[in-house]
Amino acid sequence: MSKQGGQCDWCGVELEEDQGYRLLWPDKSLGTAFCRLEHIVPFLMQKDQWHIWKGVEIPADAPKVSTSSGDELGENALYLVHHRGEHRIPDSFEGKEELLEWAKAGGHFAP
Ligand SMILES: [Zn+2]
């Protein structure tokens, strides 16, 4: 078993701590990791196998409402944290379906 978040859960490429995305589900202590946003889509649609991670918590600076819809978050909220060098950039989602639609549309880079 590789270290927590040490590889992409879709394509298997190795990830350093300062690369990729970590998808956190604090209510269930689950996590997954991805090399890029596009790999979240097939993962959620076809695989959807999460890992029990240690210390899965709501990121301190995560948006209090959904990044996608602006709606309030429920207890099933998911947090997607972009690791970019020293930066940790969190987004918040009400659940898998909402995250999936957002990721399909290209995330923050949607036209
Ligand atoms: Zn990948």
Side-chain angles (χ1 to χ4, degrees):
M1 187 79 196
S2 62
K3 72 178 165 63
Q4 179 170 307
Q7 63 184 103
C8 176
D9 276 301
W10 180 247
C11 72
V13 72
E14 288 193 23
L15 296 174
E16 300 295 335
E17 182 59 27
D18 61 357
Q19 303 177 314
Y21 293 80
R22 306 298 183 275
L23 178 58
L24 308 175
W25 192 347
D27 192 54
K28 300 198 183 318
S29 293
L30 295 175
T32 50
F34 301 95
C35 62
R36 55 183 195 260
L37 186 65
E38 289 87 338
H39 285 181
I40 295 174
V41 175
F43 173 85
L44 288 176
M45 293 178 71
Q46 297 173 38
K47 191 175 174 191
D48 202 17
Q49 292 172 343
W50 298 55
H51 311 287
I52 296 172
W53 278 4
K54 292 197 177 87
V56 178
E57 293 177 356
I58 298 170
D61 48 354
K64 303 288 186 239
V65 296
S66 165
T67 293
S68 173
S69 67
D71 290 343
E72 284 197 30
L73 302 167
E75 59 188 28
N76 258 324
L78 306 179
Y79 299 89
L80 181 65
V81 185
H82 189 179
H83 289 206
R84 198 165 64 196
E86 65 188 23
H87 301 288
R88 300 291 177 269
I89 305 150
D91 282 300
S92 307
F93 300 91
E94 290 177 81
K96 284 186 202 173
E97 281 300 315
E98 192 185 37
L99 169 60
L100 180 58
E101 292 307 315
W102 185 80
K104 273 184 184 172
H108 284 298
F109 303 106

